[in-house]
Amino acid sequence: MVGRDGERARLSAFVRSPDGQALVLRGEAGVGKSTLLDLAARLAAEDGQLVVRATGVEAESGLPHAGLHQLLYPLLPTSDARLADRQPSDDRPSDAPLSATARAAFDAAFGRCDGPPPPVMALGIAVLDLLSWTASKGRPLLLVLDDGQWLDGASAEVCGFVGRRLAGRPGVKLLVAVRADTASPFDTAALPEAPVGALADADATRLLDLHHPELGRQVRGLVLEQAGGNPLALLELPAHLAAGPGDRTGQDLLGLHGVPLPRRIQEIYAARLARLGDTVRAELLRGALDGAAARPGDGPAPIARYRMREVDEAVACGLLVVEPVTGELAFRHPLVRSSVVQLATPDQRRSAHRVLAQLHREYPERRAIHLAAATVDPEEGVAADLEAAARSATRRGGARMAVSWLTRAAELSETRVDRSRRLGEAAYVAGQADHLGRARSLALAAAPGTDESPAAVLAESYLALYRDGEVRATHRRIAAAVERLRDSPDRPGRDHLDRLDHLDRLDRLDRGSDEVLDRLVSLLLAVSQYAGDRATWQRTHEVLATLGELATERAWMYGSTWSDVVRHGAGWPRRVERASASLEDQDPWDVTRLAVSAYHLDVLSPLRPYLERVVDRELDTGAMSSGIVMLHLVLLDQLALGEWDAAERTGHRALALATERGHGLFAHQTRAYLAQLAAVRGRTAEARELQAAVDAWARPRGIGFLTQIADAVGATAALSAGDYETAFLHAIGITAPGAFRPYAYQASRTLLDLVEAALHTGRAEQARAHALAARDAGLPDLSPRLALITHGALAMTAEDDTEAAAHYARAQSHPAAERFPFELARIRLAHGIGIRRLQGAAAARLPLTQAARAFDRLDAPAWAARAHAELRAAGVAPHTPAPAPLPLTWQERRVAELAAGGLTNKEIGEQMRLSPRTVSAHLYRAFPKLGITTRAALRDALTRVSQPAPAP
């Protein structure tokens, strides 16, 4: 190695440092990056370190996590063997490197199970755990990745995540080499970099003289001039001048002025290839297209890559070398591989791809890459295989690759119907992945000459809805398209679906419906939800009714729960729960629609872990529309559960993404949710500013979904500020007292706001009428949140103390009451105020204390100030913190723990050898000490108190 003293010193320090770190070597092709990686690997091996190497393969750059598996495969068999011995009850045995969570992340990412791949953070943490465990066994670890510019995007994301966090992981280092003249997924990885430049003139002369001392002066000067200090050029160029300066072939090659040096070196390799026989070149082509000699690829087992045979001729002329580690033949340099592919004719490349498709027949996505390139004429079998691979890629986070495969499948379709359907599918996936321009062009290609084909209507409607918030015209256009498709004699029927059983289409569709119609109906329902008015929803339900059995259960679920839960929500919660049992088998956009139904029914929390697990994947793979909707749903659940700081972070993330993508609808929807958050926290100026922006944009467009939120924000902000008259005016803008305006989804959600505002402004009769209307409409049976606030409203407006006490007790004892801490705290505050006035200060302290603590914990200062003022009126000294829970005796705590676990008093008594009456007495004494009134609150309360003295 000549002239690399600085690089050698830096790599030596890097390899021998005990600290975890990452480094990216960046330079042009042929500058010596691979040689420097070899040096680092040799130094590490001499130092007793474990060295793991991988190489980016251009043919695999579209396969999610292919590069990551190649890099980690040497480490995974050890972890698999150790994990195989785990006991089911163990989270992580002492001798196992991975927790069950990390193992599941690897299984999903590498295709060893059917679930979607984990987000970057989850997989990155699993990788960090694996690397740290490996290094903790007394042998430091060096990961070496060459040709990082060809690494697939999903793997590069994880490598970047890991590299940025190695500082706290001693003994683990990551070294990557990328080309400076090629776009790379590591360009935005924010890892430390070391440039690898050309050799200085003196070093270039020395290197040339060491390897080609026989060159004449004139040729020597020409090589030095043309090579420009590039080591590979210095080694390769002289061979083309062996006949001396009069050789015009060499002179012409070296005189390609304006052509980049790597391209000129490729021409050198092309000249050598041209002298080889057809059989050898065919072997080289198959190896080049399949990443010959690369480490194992992605999959549940090592990928069997193509092994080149009988290519001694290529070895002799310096195109191939023997890998010292594996003993397999490999290309001397990536530029050789590129030259092999470029020199081949189209027929030769197709023939090679056919061989490779057969080689990888057990790996659908890998096989699809080769099938797509090998086939020219329409062939239905190949098109179906590509469609199946696209569906697999969609569920594994590869929406972009799925669009390419579906487009190619359309080109290879044998019938016009199949071609149009596959282009429509590609347009739909592109639209869901937020490639709206691509979706439109694909949709027009699906039905040339018309803008009213189903695919075109879908693409154009997504564009109009997301970008511009156009709901009126969009609704009319989609409804017309649904009716045309319903009445069309060409609409695909059962016979068509039967032909596609092998694509697993029926796992998402009810029998008797087709996918295009289902998607149009889903979009029609989404537009109706945003319109949020009676006429639009009535027209939508009319269209659904005319579809008969073509309308799926999902369509009716969305139509009922998204429109008006007061009138149509009964009976759907259990069905939503059943549909949520198999989220892993559903496409991301189907999950988001189901989660919207869960939100309207206030049962979103069970779905949130899945949404949080896949949202990063959707955003990372460009599926912005699904990703932003998932962020909205996570935000809404965080808002309901009182996780307001996290909700604010989620909201700002969604707002940045929506603004960046030009999604006017999503941007203003996010502002509406942030306004709701500001309103409950008492930040009235911020809430009103956001409210005004949302209202000004949404009201002229007729987006009732957002104008209703704006009115709800106004009511909540005014309540926080104590401006009850303004709060009442905003609340009746959503619905009149004593009724729930049809198809106004905020009408039931703002029940408590209207009742409180009416009571504080002397409108007790209207408040009572509204509470009774909620009871008579059956709101307590529709959702846990509606049950809580309905009983709270009935208690606040009760005509006698007995009724009030009963409803307060039912509200606070509801099993799901603690899941809605803000509403529960408001009800407890009202309860405490009522008790203080009727029963005296002492009786009011418990509910007032509970309310004050909740408002403090939620960071709702205006509400907290009100609760603390009532506490002072109840005899709690000013500025005195709310009383802390009293310590429990051992027996009280044990009884409380068993009760929190769901046991009845009789079952607790049998276990502790106590009578049920004694158990009840222990709980009676424990509840006030813990500051609670219901068994449902026991678990959380027990985690807040210190352990009691040991049992006697």
Side-chain angles (χ1 to χ4, degrees), residues 348-581:
Q348 289 170 339
R349 287 197 290 268
R350 284 192 287 270
S351 177
H353 281 298
R354 278 193 289 273
V355 173
L356 296 174
Q358 179 64 18
L359 176 68
H360 297 303
R361 57 189 176 275
E362 301 298 327
Y363 301 90
E365 293 180 15
R366 191 177 297 273
R367 182 168 183 262
I369 290 177
H370 296 297
L371 282 175
T375 310
V376 177
D377 298 324
E379 187 174 332
E380 180 57 30
V382 174
D385 286 340
L386 286 170
E387 189 173 0
R391 188 171 299 280
S392 172
T394 300
R395 292 183 178 178
R396 294 185 63 230
R400 292 172 183 156
M401 183 61 71
V403 172
S404 299
W405 285 340
L406 284 167
T407 306
R408 184 69 178 130
E411 294 170 355
L412 297 175
S413 299
E414 295 180 353
T415 67
R416 181 187 61 81
V417 172
D418 284 332
R419 178 183 181 277
S420 178
R421 176 180 58 77
R422 285 167 177 144
L423 282 175
E425 177 83 4
Y428 182 76
V429 176
Q432 295 298 321
D434 200 41
H435 304 302
L436 298 180
R438 178 84 186 275
R440 186 178 187 277
S441 62
L442 287 168
L444 294 177
T450 175
D451 287 343
E452 296 305 319
S453 70
V457 171
L458 278 169
E460 294 282 2
S461 298
Y462 278 118
L463 192 65
L465 179 65
Y466 292 158
R467 295 284 170 89
D468 304 322
E470 175 57 61
V471 293
R472 299 187 181 101
T474 303
H475 185 273
R476 289 194 296 270
R477 188 178 183 189
I478 300 172
V482 170
E483 292 175 332
R484 283 196 305 272
L485 190 59
R486 175 199 65 197
D487 300 332
S488 171
D490 296 330
R491 184 184 62 78
R494 277 293 313 140
D495 58 334
H496 174 68
L497 288 175
D498 287 338
R499 293 201 315 271
L500 297 173
D501 279 349
H502 65 287
L503 300 180
D504 293 328
R505 300 192 54 162
L506 296 182
D507 63 347
R508 294 188 296 113
L509 298 175
D510 291 339
R511 295 186 178 272
S513 73
D514 69 84
E515 200 164 49
V516 175
L517 182 63
D518 185 55
R519 288 170 175 174
L520 281 169
V521 169
S522 294
L523 184 55
L524 180 70
L525 293 165
V527 174
S528 304
Q529 178 182 224
Y530 280 112
D533 68 84
R534 184 172 189 167
T536 302
W537 270 116
Q538 286 181 336
R539 168 72 173 130
T540 299
H541 283 137
E542 289 172 3
V543 171
L544 275 180
T546 65
L547 292 178
E549 64 179 11
L550 296 177
T552 66
E553 181 182 358
R554 285 287 182 95
W556 283 111
M557 177 190 296
Y558 304 152
S560 300
T561 56
W562 297 2
S563 61
D564 187 346
V565 293
V566 175
R567 290 165 179 80
H568 305 299
W572 286 110
R574 290 187 179 277
R575 299 184 190 181
V576 169
E577 291 174 359
R578 284 202 307 268
S580 303

Side-chain angles (χ1 to χ4, degrees), residues 78-434:
T78 300
S79 65
D80 287 352
R82 293 184 180 276
L83 282 173
D85 297 331
R86 312 179 44 221
Q87 297 302 317
S89 60
D90 295 338
D91 179 57
R92 188 198 294 234
S94 59
D95 64 338
L98 299 177
S99 65
T101 302
R103 172 66 182 273
F106 285 128
D107 285 347
F110 299 148
R112 292 185 289 202
C113 66
D114 294 332
V120 172
M121 179 174 290
L123 186 53
I125 292 172
V127 173
L128 284 170
D129 283 350
L130 176 61
L131 300 181
S132 296
W133 180 88
T134 303
S136 71
K137 294 303 178 182
R139 195 175 180 191
L141 175 64
L142 174 64
L143 301 173
V144 180
L145 174 62
D146 202 356
D147 278 335
Q149 71 276 357
W150 302 132
L151 205 66
D152 63 278
S155 295
E157 289 271 2
V158 176
C159 288
F161 177 93
V162 170
R164 291 188 294 272
R165 289 158 178 81
L166 287 180
R169 310 267 174 164
V172 181
K173 289 177 281 292
L174 172 66
L175 184 61
V176 183
V178 298
R179 289 189 194 173
D181 54 353
T182 303
S184 164
F186 286 95
D187 292 345
T188 57
L191 298 177
E193 291 193 2
V196 182
L199 293 175
D201 291 345
D203 293 323
T205 302
R206 183 180 168 209
L207 179 63
L208 183 61
D209 290 343
L210 282 171
H211 287 268
H212 297 283
E214 75 286 353
L215 291 180
R217 180 177 179 183
Q218 185 177 0
V219 175
R220 180 172 172 271
L222 185 59
V223 171
L224 289 171
E225 177 188 352
Q226 292 290 329
N230 184 289
L232 184 63
L234 290 166
L235 298 178
E236 298 290 357
L237 288 176
H240 283 265
L241 300 173
D247 186 338
R248 295 309 306 167
T249 302
Q251 292 288 351
D252 292 342
L253 181 63
L254 292 173
L256 293 173
H257 296 295
V259 177
L261 183 61
R263 174 65 184 277
R264 281 180 273 169
I265 299 175
Q266 265 186 263
E267 294 292 340
I268 294 174
Y269 293 136
R272 295 184 195 174
L273 287 165
R275 294 193 289 268
L276 299 176
D278 291 343
T279 303
V280 175
R281 285 169 55 181
E283 285 291 306
L284 295 180
L285 180 58
R286 294 166 194 152
L289 292 173
D290 199 40
R295 274 73 179 177
D298 67 326
I303 295 297
R305 298 189 186 281
Y306 189 81
R307 302 185 67 177
M308 297 176 285
R309 296 175 177 83
E310 299 181 1
V311 287
D312 295 343
E313 193 179 351
V315 177
C317 67
L319 294 173
L320 298 179
V321 295
V322 177
E323 274 283 333
V325 177
T326 64
E328 295 184 13
L329 291 171
F331 292 99
R332 179 180 180 185
H333 192 275
L335 291 176
V336 178
R337 186 187 302 118
S338 301
S339 299
V340 170
V341 176
Q342 291 177 12
L343 193 64
T345 66
D347 283 342
Q348 289 170 339
R349 287 197 290 268
R350 284 192 287 270
S351 177
H353 281 298
R354 278 193 289 273
V355 173
L356 296 174
Q358 179 64 18
L359 176 68
H360 297 303
R361 57 189 176 275
E362 301 298 327
Y363 301 90
E365 293 180 15
R366 191 177 297 273
R367 182 168 183 262
I369 290 177
H370 296 297
L371 282 175
T375 310
V376 177
D377 298 324
E379 187 174 332
E380 180 57 30
V382 174
D385 286 340
L386 286 170
E387 189 173 0
R391 188 171 299 280
S392 172
T394 300
R395 292 183 178 178
R396 294 185 63 230
R400 292 172 183 156
M401 183 61 71
V403 172
S404 299
W405 285 340
L406 284 167
T407 306
R408 184 69 178 130
E411 294 170 355
L412 297 175
S413 299
E414 295 180 353
T415 67
R416 181 187 61 81
V417 172
D418 284 332
R419 178 183 181 277
S420 178
R421 176 180 58 77
R422 285 167 177 144
L423 282 175
E425 177 83 4
Y428 182 76
V429 176
Q432 295 298 321
D434 200 41

Side-chain angles (χ1 to χ4, degrees), residues 784-810:
R785 181 180 179 276
L786 291 179
L788 173 68
I789 62 176
T790 298
H791 288 300
L794 288 168
M796 293 177 189
T797 61
E799 296 177 346
D800 60 69
D801 299 344
T802 302
E803 181 189 355
H807 282 296
Y808 276 127
R810 293 189 67 180

Side-chain angles (χ1 to χ4, degrees), residues 637-854:
D637 194 57
Q638 291 168 331
L639 182 59
L641 294 177
E643 301 167 9
W644 291 352
D645 289 337
E648 192 157 11
R649 291 191 295 271
T650 303
H652 285 299
R653 183 186 181 192
L655 181 58
L657 290 169
T659 303
E660 176 187 346
R661 304 296 295 187
H663 282 332
L665 178 66
F666 286 160
H668 284 87
Q669 186 176 350
T670 310
R671 292 187 181 99
Y673 294 148
L674 288 172
Q676 284 186 306
L677 182 58
V680 296
R681 303 191 94 158
R683 303 200 301 244
T684 54
E686 177 186 346
R688 286 167 180 159
E689 181 179 352
L690 289 168
Q691 173 199 8
V694 171
D695 196 77
W697 186 85
R699 203 168 291 276
R701 291 171 168 80
I703 305 178
F705 185 86
L706 296 186
T707 58
Q708 289 177 43
I709 296 179
D711 284 333
V713 168
T716 305
L719 283 173
S720 296
D723 184 355
Y724 299 108
E725 184 65 29
T726 300
F728 183 77
L729 294 177
H730 276 295
I732 63 174
I734 298 172
T735 189
F740 294 93
R741 182 160 62 92
Y743 303 103
Y745 92 104
Q746 285 288 335
S748 58
R749 305 189 78 83
T750 54
L751 163 64
L752 207 58
D753 290 349
L754 193 153
V755 167
E756 284 197 78
L759 288 173
H760 283 284
T761 55
R763 299 178 173 94
E765 291 184 4
Q766 294 183 15
R768 179 63 175 172
H770 204 53
L772 292 174
R775 181 199 64 187
D776 296 340
L779 264 59
D781 299 324
L782 294 178
S783 86
R785 181 180 179 276
L786 291 179
L788 173 68
I789 62 176
T790 298
H791 288 300
L794 288 168
M796 293 177 189
T797 61
E799 296 177 346
D800 60 69
D801 299 344
T802 302
E803 181 189 355
H807 282 296
Y808 276 127
R810 293 189 67 180
Q812 295 178 72
S813 64
H814 192 282
E818 299 286 344
R819 284 169 37 200
F820 306 97
F822 182 61
E823 290 85 351
L824 180 59
R826 289 169 62 179
I827 292 169
R828 283 173 169 165
L829 175 60
H831 188 198
I833 293 172
I835 290 177
R836 182 176 63 80
R837 293 173 180 169
L838 295 173
Q839 301 179 26
R845 289 173 188 164
L846 178 58
L848 291 175
T849 297
Q850 293 171 325
R853 284 179 182 159

